Each structure stands twice: as C-alpha cells, then as structure tokens.
Amino acid sequence: MLISINNPLRNNSRPKIGVALSGGGLRGTTHIGALKALIDYKIPIDYISGTSAGAIVATMYACGYSPQQMQSIIKNIRVQDLIDLKVTTSDLFKHGFKWLMNGRFRFWSVLPTGLLKGDKIENFLVSLWKQRTVRDTKIPLAITAVDINSADTVFFISPLPPNRTILNARYYHNAVLAEAVRASISIPGVFYPKKYRGMTLVDGAVKNNLPTDILHHMGADKIIAVDLGYSGQPNYEIDSVGEILMQCIEIMGREVTLMKSEQYADLIIRPTSYDLNHKDFKQANEFIKRGYQATLEKIRDIKDFI
C-alpha cells in the first residue's frame, strides 16, 4: 500500500521545501536513506526533483512509495532481468569485417549508440507507475534529461508558475513517468538514447546532475540537495572504455554542480560511499544506511532554516 503524502503547500506558516536528488548509478539507492531520515524527523517535502538514478527515487516518492517500500522493491530486483544488450560481440566483428573489406574501416562507425536497449528497464518502470504522467503525482515533480541534438535541457515537470527563466530548456507536463525516467537514466554510451517527440534524449547529468534550479522556479523557498556526484577523490581503478566514459561524465557533472546547482541549494547533503562497491547491487542496504546517516547529521541545520 502506498503512503499518503500530505501536501503542505496550503500551510503558509513555513517555507516550502524542495528536495533535489542527483544521479549516481547504484549509489542512487543512497537517496532512499536520505528520504527516510527526512520523513522520520518530520521534515516536509513540498517539491522533489531528480536526475538519472535520483529521478527514479524522486518519482517513486512523488507517487507515494515509502522508503521502506522502495527498499523492498530493490531487494527483489534481479539485475539480469533488466539487461537487454543492443549489440553482441559477433555483431561488432561482423560490421567491423564488412567495413574493413570495403576499405573504409572506421572503428567508431561500427559501435552502436548504446549498449543497452533500455526496453526492459522501461517495462519495469511501467510496472511501478503504469501510465501515470507527471501531472498525476502526489507532490510536484521534476525530472531532467538532455536533448543531444539541440543541447537543450528537458524538464518533465508538473505545471510551472508563469515565470520560467532557465535558459535553453523545454518543459513537458503530460509525459508518461516511465518514459521520462527512462530518458533521464540514458547514460551516453550505456543506454540507447530515448526518442521522444522528435528529440534524442540522454542522461540529465550531462547538464544538470543536481537539479536545484528547477525547484527554485517551481516555487520552493528552501532547497535541500542530496549530491552523490564525484567529489574529486582520486580513482586509480579505471581500466576500461566504459569506466573512462563514466568518469568523464562524473567530472563534468561535478563542474556543473559547482557552477550552477550549489547557488540554489540552502543545504547540501553529501553521503560518503566511494569506499563501497558501486557494481554490487547487494550493497544497496549499505548505501541506504549511508544516506540515512549523512542526512541525520544535517537534521538540526534543516530544522533551523524551517
């Protein structure tokens, strides 16, 4: 049974609170612990936004799932059931050999636009939210993606106030949640981009890994951000093309967060989790604990500005 979220927007005696959840791959489960701590200490959440992994957790919360329910769902996920390879090794050899024999071999031309089709994970998301749209959530929600063709930020969002001042951005209010989140998690080179209304959408982290700005424009007076992004620590275990690509995205995300996201956040929570195995789904419970503890350490500060 879904939790009932009392929308406190009607209460004008306190500031309206927005919570932004960053991308972070498997680290995204850390957000569940952060939300649990906020709920346990009765911190109201009036608006919520998310990018990539943060978009999944933000959407689940906005639809009424409790952190306990999220944790239970994660416990029962079989990762192999969500993987649908778009290309096989034999495909690469076949296309590569063809180009080689034609005397026009270009290595990059035989690579697909993504390794995973993303259909299975989108079907999983549909099982969570059916055909709900961003208009159907219990509290206002914003999900970010990027149109790789135009470089515009795309916000799948509950209807905004008239004042929209984010440059190079588009807004969609009727998107099906599963499609919106599928777009937001489309890590370049890993997931095949999501086609939507003539756009080619990739992971929102490319431009906005910690979407605090949109919460400001939605009407939030105070913004709490949970940042799982790269914090500058050395990484000497990068030994594949995929890991190089992911590290590049992490570095870009960090720079964007420092330049843009932090100016809108009243408080940033940065759980420490880089000592955990980010490839082991069995570590999800530990990530959740780290999120809870890091948020607990900031509860006094949060209550002060509320």
Side-chain angles (χ1 to χ4, degrees):
M1 182 177 180
L2 302 184
I3 61 172
S4 174
I5 299 176
N6 293 320
N7 190 339
L9 290 173
R10 300 172 184 170
N11 183 356
N12 295 319
S13 64
R14 63 161 179 80
K16 298 171 185 175
I17 308 300
V19 175
L21 306 180
S22 78
L26 176 58
R27 299 195 307 277
T29 54
T30 308
H31 291 311
I32 298 173
L35 290 177
K36 186 176 187 305
L38 294 176
I39 293 168
D40 285 352
Y41 285 85
K42 296 179 171 52
I43 305 300
I45 301 174
D46 301 306
Y47 308 91
I48 193 164
S49 65
T51 293
S52 199
I56 298 176
V57 177
T59 302
M60 293 187 76
Y61 181 78
C63 286
Y65 284 88
S66 70
Q68 291 84 354
Q69 288 171 314
M70 296 182 207
Q71 191 167 1
S72 177
I73 290 170
I74 288 172
K75 181 180 178 181
N76 294 313
I77 286 178
R78 286 164 42 92
V79 176
Q80 59 268 33
D81 293 339
L82 303 179
I83 295 175
D84 47 3
L85 287 175
K86 183 173 177 59
V87 66
T88 63
T89 303
S90 62
D91 289 333
L92 290 176
F93 277 114
K94 178 178 69 176
H95 293 300
F97 186 75
K98 178 182 177 181
W99 280 103
L100 185 62
M101 290 299 98
N102 288 336
R104 295 177 292 159
F105 179 71
R106 292 174 296 167
F107 175 73
W108 296 112
S109 66
V110 304
L111 295 179
T113 54
L115 297 178
L116 302 179
K117 296 178 184 177
D119 294 341
K120 287 187 176 181
I121 195 166
E122 187 168 335
N123 289 337
F124 170 71
L125 297 175
V126 169
S127 74
L128 296 176
W129 309 312
K130 309 305 178 188
Q131 293 301 307
R132 287 189 190 181
T133 71
V134 286
R135 288 181 178 270
D136 302 324
T137 54
K138 294 178 180 294
I139 61 172
L141 168 71
I143 298 166
T144 66
V146 174
D147 179 11
I148 202 70
N149 300 126
S150 67
D152 285 345
T153 301
V154 174
F155 291 109
F156 298 102
I157 185 172
S158 305
L160 271 174
N163 183 22
R164 300 173 180 171
T165 57
I166 298 178
L167 297 176
N168 303 316
R170 303 181 196 175
Y171 305 86
Y172 294 91
H173 309 306
N174 294 309
V176 173
L177 290 171
E179 290 189 278
V181 173
R182 163 65 177 85
S184 187
I185 66 172
S186 298
I187 301 170
V190 177
F191 281 100
Y192 189 72
K194 175 67 179 176
K195 297 291 185 179
Y196 184 81
R197 298 193 183 185
M199 299 179 290
T200 303
L201 301 181
V202 297
D203 195 324
V206 171
K207 286 185 67 179
N208 198 343
N209 192 46
L210 188 61
T212 55
D213 53 351
I214 192 62
L215 291 173
H216 172 75
H217 294 293
M218 289 168 75
D221 299 309
K222 296 291 183 179
I223 295 171
I224 301 167
V226 185
D227 183 13
L228 308 181
Y230 178 61
S231 58
Q233 69 281 358
N235 186 349
Y236 299 108
E237 298 181 1
I238 300 173
D239 56 8
S240 70
V241 171
E243 289 176 350
I244 290 173
L245 179 61
M246 291 301 297
Q247 181 71 352
C248 288
I249 293 172
E250 294 266 24
I251 293 170
M252 287 188 295
R254 179 182 182 229
E255 294 302 309
V256 172
T257 296
L258 291 173
M259 288 188 297
K260 180 169 64 175
S261 301
E262 289 192 359
Q263 67 177 297
Y264 290 100
D266 294 278
L267 184 142
I268 299 180
I269 301 166
R270 288 193 171 95
T272 302
S273 63
Y274 273 89
D275 58 314
L276 301 177
N277 185 348
H278 299 168
K279 302 174 186 178
D280 185 0
F281 214 72
K282 294 179 181 178
Q283 298 241 4
N285 284 341
E286 186 58 36
F287 282 107
I288 292 170
K289 290 178 183 177
R290 297 288 180 92
Y292 190 95
Q293 184 58 40
T295 305
L296 196 63
E297 292 170 1
K298 298 283 188 177
I299 287 295
R300 184 184 294 264
D301 295 333
I302 295 170
K303 290 203 169 192
D304 282 346
F305 71 62
I306 293 180

